[in-house]
Amino acid sequence: MHPNARLSAIRRMAEFRLWNVARSQAEIQATINQQLDGNETGLAAYLPLDDGNGATAANLVANGNPGVLGGGNANNAPLWVHVSSGGATIQ
């Protein structure tokens, strides 16, 4: 399948955050539209999903493991869409 044919199936997800503490609605809303630093208290994993390739996404939490996407199956690896002023490219 040509990579461009898969564009119609792309689901957008900007980032993944995993916390090891319960957060209140106010705490969630306070940072919902902000990029995190990776050193926030209780943050167990933070994958911004704008830094990675293949089936691996960078985890910005200190001593964090990279995120493995697609269940480790190369056939399920995501398409990385890089957007710039010149357009979008698929990797």
Side-chain angles (χ1 to χ4, degrees):
M1 177 186 302
H2 189 277
N4 289 338
R6 293 179 61 189
L7 281 176
S8 63
I10 290 178
R11 303 292 186 257
R12 296 180 201 178
M13 187 170 158
E15 64 183 18
F16 174 82
R17 300 175 182 191
L18 178 66
W19 299 85
N20 62 14
V21 295
R23 301 184 74 222
S24 70
Q25 182 174 350
E27 289 173 317
I28 294 168
Q29 289 177 329
T31 60
I32 197 165
N33 293 315
Q34 297 176 1
Q35 186 168 2
L36 303 179
D37 295 323
N39 61 0
E40 289 78 5
T41 301
L43 185 62
Y46 179 50
L47 289 71
L49 301 180
D50 62 355
D51 182 15
N53 58 53
T56 304
N59 183 356
L60 299 186
V61 173
N63 299 319
N65 296 316
V68 177
L69 309 173
N73 182 333
N75 292 325
N76 294 330
L79 290 175
W80 292 88
V81 178
H82 300 276
V83 178
S84 67
S85 60
T89 58
I90 300 172
Q91 184 177 8

